[in-house]
């Protein structure tokens, strides 16, 4: 089997692909531009992609193609209808990143609640060494215990975030973007979106980007939130209107925002997030919440299993 991995650098250089190499002749590309895809997969039996799109033209260029493995959960970069028409199987990986996303969610939220960056810099600057007292209250920080913690998107990740928030002593409520988690038993109150935004101290988004969630949170919605509230987006870029969020932060309408995902990735140099005045109110990570070393190893193992299962059929 001729296996082509189109964008291996998205998985990182600290992960090996031995389990996939054992299943065929593996050709690895660090990254692939759109105009390079067709040429690189023209003799492939199996293609692995994380973010590289594979559409009609790419599939037509690869007459031997039998399987597309998406090294991710989402398959929106694949023309699924045309793959089915061509008899090309498409396999994704699910569940590998839950703990990584949950940990990053709380790392970012707690960093904002605790003003971690400020206090770290206070000590490193030498200012603490000149203090007349043993402590310093240059910034206020808050406890998570007792706060109302709202979750938008109560899938597997959202449910795990809810468990951890509860362990911290927070009161968890949620809003279902799909409506699928409305009539099932969950030990948390289901709220409408406006009520959740108005009453929560922390709002954490763990939803996919679709017709129901695109531009879900606009300036109008952000104005419903408490002035000290924190909003986190660990789902998909485009759920929060980014220009509106930058405006809300600079107008001190919110206590802070933790963002891991962006509408355009990487973000352009003129992105409104990069020009806000209240930079300390933002906590950014470059779409890495999913990518702990353990999660990426699980992802490769699941991808190898998908190939192995396909070959055994």
């Amino acid at each position: 089997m001729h296996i082509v991995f189109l964008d291996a650098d998205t998985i990182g250089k600290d992960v090996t692909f031995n389990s996939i190499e054992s299943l065929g002749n593996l050709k690895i590309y660090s990254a692939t531009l759109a105009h390079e895809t067709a040429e690189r997969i023209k003799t492939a039996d199996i293609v692995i992609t994380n973010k590289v799109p594979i559409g009609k033209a790419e599939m037509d260029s690869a007459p031997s193609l039998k399987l597309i493995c998406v090294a991710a959960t989402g398959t929106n970069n694949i023309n699924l209808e045309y793959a089915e028409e061509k008899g090309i199987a498409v396999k994704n990986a699910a569940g590998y990143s839950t703990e990584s996303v949950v940990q990053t969610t709380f790392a970012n939220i707690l960093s904002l609640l605790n003003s971690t960056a400020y206090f770290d810099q206070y000590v490193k600057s030498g200012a603490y060494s000149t203090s007349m007292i043993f402590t310093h209250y240059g910034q206020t920080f808050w406890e998570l215990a007792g706060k109302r913690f709202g979750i938008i998107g109560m899938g597997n990740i959202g449910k795990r975030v809810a468990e951890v928030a509860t362990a911290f002593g927070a009161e968890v409520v949620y809003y279902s973007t799909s409506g699928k988690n409305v009539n099932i038993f969950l030990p948390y109150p289901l709220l409408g979106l406006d009520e959740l935004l108005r009453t929560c101290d922390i709002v954490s988004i763990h939803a996919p980007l679709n017709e129901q969630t695109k531009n879900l949170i606009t300036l109008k919605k952000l104005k419903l939130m408490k002035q000290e509230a924190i909003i986190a987006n660990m789902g998909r870029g485009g759920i929060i209107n980014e220009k509106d969020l930058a405006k809300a932060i600079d107008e001190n309408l919110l206590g802070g925002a933790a963002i891991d995902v962006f509408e355009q990735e990487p973000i352009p140099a003129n992105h409104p997030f990069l020009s806000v005045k209240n930079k300390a109110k933002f906590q950014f990570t470059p779409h890495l919440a999913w990518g702990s070393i353990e999660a990426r190893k699980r992802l490769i193992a699941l991808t190898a299993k998908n190939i192995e299962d396909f070959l055994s059929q």
Side-chain angles (χ1 to χ4, degrees), residues 296-311:
R296 287 180 286 125
K297 286 180 178 179
R298 284 192 292 268
L299 173 58
I300 293 304
L302 284 170
T303 302
K305 181 71 162 52
N306 283 339
I307 296 172
E308 189 175 4
D309 289 347
F310 178 81
L311 294 177

Side-chain angles (χ1 to χ4, degrees), residues 96-152:
Y96 67 92
S97 65
T98 298
E99 296 302 326
S100 181
V101 174
V102 171
Q103 181 171 307
T104 305
T105 298
F106 282 95
N108 284 332
I109 289 172
L110 291 171
S111 180
L112 286 169
L113 283 174
N114 283 57
S115 296
T116 302
Y118 169 82
F119 289 114
D120 176 67
Q121 184 56 35
Y122 172 74
V123 175
K124 288 177 178 175
S125 71
Y128 183 43
S129 300
T130 66
S131 175
M132 296 293 292
I133 62 171
F134 73 94
T135 189
H136 175 70
Y137 297 113
Q139 293 275 11
T140 301
F141 76 95
W142 289 265
E143 297 175 355
L144 185 51
K147 299 297 186 292
R148 176 170 271 201
F149 194 113
I151 297 173
I152 297 177

Side-chain angles (χ1 to χ4, degrees), residues 143-282:
E143 297 175 355
L144 185 51
K147 299 297 186 292
R148 176 170 271 201
F149 194 113
I151 297 173
I152 297 177
M154 192 60 94
N156 290 335
I157 292 173
K159 289 173 185 172
R160 185 73 180 110
V161 168
E163 292 175 358
V164 175
T166 300
F168 269 103
E171 175 203 2
V172 172
V173 297
Y174 76 101
Y175 168 72
S176 176
T177 60
S178 66
K180 294 179 181 178
N181 289 322
V182 172
N183 297 316
I184 64 173
F185 174 77
L186 287 171
Y188 318 108
L190 171 68
L191 303 182
L193 179 59
D194 286 3
E195 184 181 1
L196 182 143
L197 293 172
R198 270 197 308 267
T199 63
C200 284
D201 303 289
I202 295 115
V203 174
S204 193
I205 300 172
H206 302 281
L209 182 66
N210 52 39
E211 291 180 1
Q212 287 75 41
T213 61
K214 185 171 177 59
N215 216 36
L216 181 70
I217 307 296
T218 60
L219 185 61
K220 181 180 179 181
K221 296 295 186 184
L222 293 168
K223 285 181 176 179
L224 296 174
M225 298 180 68
K226 299 178 182 180
Q227 190 172 8
E228 301 83 15
I230 289 171
I231 190 166
N233 187 9
M234 303 288 150
R236 283 291 183 267
I239 296 176
I240 302 178
N241 183 294
E242 293 173 342
K243 288 183 180 178
D244 286 358
L245 180 57
K247 181 178 176 65
I249 289 293
D250 264 349
E251 292 184 1
N252 289 309
L253 301 179
L254 297 174
I259 305 296
D260 181 64
V261 288
F262 306 86
E263 193 163 5
Q264 180 182 335
E265 296 174 342
I267 60 174
N270 63 348
H271 195 284
F273 286 168
L274 300 180
S275 58
V276 295
K277 299 185 292 290
N278 291 325
K279 295 184 186 300
K281 286 193 169 189
F282 264 127

Side-chain angles (χ1 to χ4, degrees), residues 12-27:
K13 297 184 183 298
D14 51 352
V15 176
T16 66
F17 304 116
N18 296 341
S19 57
I20 297 174
E21 288 175 329
S22 68
L23 300 172
N25 177 25
L26 176 63
K27 174 66 175 178

